[in-house]
Amino acid sequence: MPAPPPARDGKEASWDLPAIPEAVAAARRLVREALAVWGLSPLADDLTVVVSEVVTNAIVHAKSAVTLSLHRQGRSVRGEVADHSPVWPTPLPAGPDEEHGRGLAIVAAYSERWGVDPTPDGKIVWFVCEGSPLGATTK
């Protein structure tokens, strides 16, 4: 079972998730809980969409358990999904009737920036979602 959300004054949270489809829903729930604790709930919709896509990609394509990490950086959050496959994600063309192939386009649309870093036993797909300054309207 994944760990509880971070303490209010914490700046990081990390969870190990199994390579099963149910891990995607668990990841969304954990992200929402962590953001609520941090007072960053306005980021929840965008961040859960990105996390859903990246965790799903890792489970489907890397076929490995993942570690989901969130790093609070002021009003923004950097997310990371580490898996055990050295194969990097590749954007795929998707026609209007295609069921698959839009994941990385969604990640790019819902995050300010994203990328991939190699690790000794796989890779980390990272992304940053930024919140609006206090009192400003959200995107």
Side-chain angles (χ1 to χ4, degrees):
M1 185 72 180
R8 177 163 288 287
D9 60 352
K11 291 188 177 190
E12 296 186 4
S14 184
W15 305 274
D16 292 324
L17 300 169
I20 58 173
E22 294 81 8
V24 179
R28 287 192 299 265
R29 179 182 52 79
L30 291 164
V31 166
R32 286 191 181 280
E33 290 172 0
L35 293 175
V37 168
W38 288 341
L40 296 175
S41 290
L43 288 175
D45 289 344
D46 287 354
L47 202 56
T48 56
V49 167
V50 175
V51 165
S52 291
E53 293 299 331
V54 177
V55 170
T56 297
N57 282 348
I59 290 171
V60 170
H61 299 292
K63 296 177 178 33
S64 79
V66 301
T67 299
L68 167 63
S69 302
L70 300 179
H71 307 274
R72 180 178 159 198
Q73 303 169 330
R75 303 286 316 153
S76 67
V77 174
R78 176 184 166 109
E80 299 177 351
V81 175
D83 65 44
H84 302 288
S85 171
V87 179
W88 286 32
T90 304
L92 301 172
D97 296 328
E98 302 276 339
E99 187 174 332
H100 301 285
R102 291 180 187 78
L104 294 178
I106 291 169
V107 170
Y110 281 83
S111 62
E112 275 57 47
R113 57 195 172 280
W114 72 277
V116 184
D117 293 330
T119 64
D121 67 338
K123 67 185 168 297
I124 294 173
V125 177
W126 60 266
F127 42 89
V128 176
C129 292
E130 295 179 357
S132 299
L134 293 177
T137 56
T138 58
K139 8 181 200 181

